[in-house]
Amino acid sequence: MPIIWILIGAYSLVSFVFDALVWLLTFWWDKRLWLLHRYSIVWALSYIWANPFWKIDIKGEENIKKGQTYIIVSNHQSALDIVLLYGLWMHFKWVARKEIFSIPVIGWNLWLNRHIAIDRTSVRSARKMILQAQKHLKMGSSILIFPEGTRSMDGTIKRFKEGAFMLAKKANCAILPVVLEGSMEVFPRNGYVIKAKQTFKLRILPEIKPESFQNKEVDELAKEVQATITEVHMSIAPKHYRKQND
């Protein structure tokens, strides 16, 4: 097992060298960092492609409109979700905890791509996140947020925080709900497992247009989107909810 992590670490460092090179050659004219993000997609998905017994089962790609910017919201099961969501092949900026920006390689890539750091304990940081996100949306970049705020311990979907939905209302931007399943078994929150065979499920739901929620309160909108994502998640992963329903 340790040799696998050594190989992954070495590969990640080499990949970051090319990441930095792409940034150096493009940041001064590619204002959205589109090419750097494209490289990051290939880099991230290469961890999945490296295992021929790992597959991503994606459904609902027709719900993504070309050229449309979204507030993308997804449930959160493990650190591997970050890799899987690159499978959307969309141009977006993450909203991530500021602590992640300090992690070698991963944090460096977040910084180069100008993703958005947030301090979850600071109201001022939340306001700054909204302003930064609005700026990226105007430039044509979608924003990706885990509204649960942290990874689920048992696979069930927890209460959605309101930040993503406040942003959607302020920016008058459509919401794109995404449902993830399968990452927790491979990369659980309190441990690390290399599971030889796994099919990760990614469901892209129909967009929620801004005109449908502009007159709703933010907390109401958050609850409705949570209910929609939970319903789909329960249908593809009922095992997580059996104990809850007993």
Side-chain angles (χ1 to χ4, degrees):
M1 188 69 72
I3 189 64
I4 294 176
W5 291 108
I6 291 171
L7 290 172
I8 290 174
Y11 172 71
S12 298
L13 284 172
V14 172
S15 298
F16 179 75
V17 171
F18 287 97
D19 187 67
L21 183 61
V22 173
W23 175 81
L24 188 63
L25 294 174
T26 62
F27 80 92
W28 47 278
W29 59 270
D30 183 3
K31 300 305 181 183
R32 288 198 303 152
L33 298 173
W34 187 90
L35 287 170
L36 182 62
H37 184 80
R38 222 64 181 173
Y39 172 82
S40 298
I41 290 174
V42 174
W43 175 13
L45 292 178
S46 67
Y47 294 102
I48 304 295
W49 298 335
N51 185 337
F53 301 105
W54 280 3
K55 297 179 181 178
I56 304 178
D57 173 25
I58 304 179
K59 289 184 172 62
E61 292 170 291
E62 68 280 1
N63 292 320
I64 302 174
K65 294 181 181 178
K66 189 175 181 180
Q68 174 77 45
T69 55
Y70 295 103
I71 307 299
I72 308 166
V73 294
S74 170
N75 62 308
H76 196 13
Q77 292 192 326
S78 87
L80 194 62
D81 296 342
I82 296 171
V83 171
L84 297 175
L85 285 165
Y86 276 114
L88 295 172
W89 288 90
M90 295 174 65
H91 187 79
F92 56 74
K93 302 296 180 183
W94 295 98
V95 175
R97 289 183 294 112
K98 67 173 186 176
E99 293 84 1
I100 299 177
F101 284 74
S102 301
I103 299 174
V105 180
I106 295 173
W108 303 339
N109 177 260
L110 290 174
W111 183 83
L112 289 182
N113 274 279
R114 297 194 197 119
H115 292 299
I116 303 168
I118 184 170
D119 180 352
R120 293 185 299 180
T121 65
S122 169
V123 174
R124 182 178 180 182
S125 179
R127 290 172 181 163
K128 184 179 179 182
M129 179 276 286
I130 294 287
L131 292 174
Q132 288 180 309
Q134 287 179 305
K135 181 178 178 181
H136 285 302
L137 287 167
K138 288 177 181 177
M139 292 176 67
S141 301
S142 293
I143 302 296
L144 201 156
I145 301 176
F146 293 120
E148 290 168 284
T150 188
R151 291 166 281 175
S152 173
M153 292 291 289
D154 59 7
T156 63
I157 295 176
K158 307 306 179 187
R159 187 183 75 84
F160 279 9
K161 294 179 172 59
E162 297 175 1
F165 309 100
M166 184 181 298
L167 172 62
K169 285 178 64 70
K170 282 183 174 292
N172 197 39
C173 184
I175 299 169
L176 187 69
V178 177
V179 183
L180 285 173
E181 172 55 29
S183 63
M184 192 173 70
E185 290 84 356
V186 173
F187 211 157
R189 183 170 180 172
N190 293 326
Y192 305 96
V193 179
I194 296 296
K195 191 174 180 181
K197 187 176 182 180
Q198 180 72 331
T199 297
F200 306 101
K201 296 178 181 178
L202 195 142
R203 301 290 181 263
I204 307 162
L205 308 185
E207 69 174 70
I208 304 170
K209 297 181 179 180
E211 54 266 28
S212 71
F213 58 75
Q214 279 305 317
N215 293 325
K216 292 180 180 178
E217 296 296 328
V218 173
D219 60 340
E220 179 187 1
L221 177 60
K223 289 176 183 177
E224 287 184 1
V225 178
Q226 179 187 339
T228 298
I229 289 179
T230 300
E231 182 181 6
V232 175
H233 190 240
M234 289 180 71
S235 71
I236 63 175
K239 60 184 179 181
H240 297 307
Y241 299 89
R242 284 180 188 135
K243 288 183 180 179
Q244 197 177 69
N245 295 328
D246 287 344

